[in-house]
Amino acid sequence: MQKEFPIIETNRLILREITKEDASDMLKYLSDKEVVASMGLEPFQTEKDVWDEINWYKTIYVEGTGIRWGISLKNSRKVIGSCGFLNMIHKHHRAEIGYELCREYWGQGLASEALEAIVKYGFHHYQLERIEALIEPANLRSQKLVEKQGFIREGLLRHYEFTCGKFDDLYMYSIISNDLFTLVENLKKM
């Protein structure tokens, strides 16, 4: 029997399970070339494309290889993005983090708020030791976002993925559980 999908609440956000009823909200940002460019995806064309994405979210959750939350503002059920873990390897206590946000909400600190919440959730609930972020060198916004959360750039993975007809170089960022503890302690001293 599948356990109940966890809901995470932050100051401004509710992170919750995405359902097919969210497809039209998701199509708004997943059809935006600027949003999906750094995800290695072509812009989505139809709600059926979104349903395939939602089904993938359900599959990784059921299989235990990941979890993806829909990002909603507290005063609305509208999904404005998603975030979560993929490529979770329990044996090694590690997972990769992923996220995207509707462009109209960029620059408001919402992605940072969601990312902080799921990083903490991953370390505490899944007992992760390491969380990785793979980011294209041109995606400076995402690099700043993870660095603000305490992630450290470890190096460049050359031609790491083949997406949209080309090979992509990706920076490997990571945060380990002790990094988060150190970051929290340093913030307390300020």
Side-chain angles (χ1 to χ4, degrees):
M1 185 171 117
Q2 185 60 39
K3 61 184 181 233
E4 191 172 323
F5 194 93
I7 296 172
I8 301 173
E9 194 170 322
T10 69
N11 288 339
R12 298 179 290 169
L13 304 172
I14 295 194
L15 308 180
R16 62 169 178 83
E17 185 173 18
I18 290 177
T19 67
K20 285 196 174 184
E21 288 75 35
D22 299 312
S24 62
D25 293 337
M26 294 174 66
L27 183 59
K28 180 177 180 180
Y29 61 83
L30 291 174
S31 63
D32 184 330
K33 189 174 183 171
E34 280 192 61
V35 172
V36 299
S38 60
M39 297 168 64
L41 300 172
E42 294 290 343
F44 288 34
Q45 302 296 316
T46 66
E47 283 193 20
K48 167 138 183 12
D49 296 336
V50 177
W51 295 340
D52 291 343
E53 185 79 355
I54 293 169
N55 286 333
W56 177 68
Y57 296 167
K58 289 186 183 313
T59 299
I60 63 172
Y61 183 63
V62 168
E63 292 176 350
T65 59
I67 184 170
R68 195 76 171 201
W69 287 273
I71 302 171
S72 297
L73 296 172
K74 276 192 174 176
N75 61 357
S76 168
R77 284 217 28 101
K78 177 181 169 185
V79 173
I80 61 170
S82 78
C83 59
F85 299 110
L86 62 150
N87 299 325
M88 192 178 298
I89 303 173
H90 298 282
K91 175 183 175 183
H92 298 297
H93 301 271
R94 76 170 180 251
E96 184 182 329
I97 201 163
Y99 46 85
E100 78 281 332
L101 193 63
C102 186
R103 191 164 19 131
E104 71 184 84
Y105 297 96
W106 289 3
Q108 299 176 33
L110 297 172
S112 184
E113 191 171 320
L115 187 62
E116 179 181 358
I118 66 170
V119 165
K120 288 178 182 174
Y121 188 89
F123 285 133
H124 296 294
H125 180 77
Y126 289 118
Q127 288 81 46
L128 295 174
E129 174 60 20
R130 175 184 171 88
I131 299 173
E132 301 171 342
L134 298 170
I135 303 172
E136 291 182 353
N139 190 348
L140 300 177
R141 283 179 168 275
S142 196
Q143 291 173 48
K144 287 179 185 175
L145 174 63
V146 298
E147 288 169 359
K148 181 179 177 186
Q149 296 300 323
F151 282 72
I152 296 168
R153 184 188 308 172
E154 296 180 332
L156 180 68
L157 304 171
R158 300 178 320 139
H159 286 205
Y160 190 73
E161 289 183 338
F162 185 78
T163 60
C164 301
K166 64 182 178 26
F167 288 100
D168 296 319
D169 294 341
L170 296 173
Y171 283 131
M172 170 64 80
Y173 279 85
S174 74
I175 186 170
I176 58 174
S177 61
N178 195 47
D179 294 340
L180 184 64
F181 175 77
T182 303
L183 183 65
V184 169
E185 289 303 308
N186 287 339
L187 289 174
K188 286 179 184 176
K189 294 175 186 175
M190 295 178 108

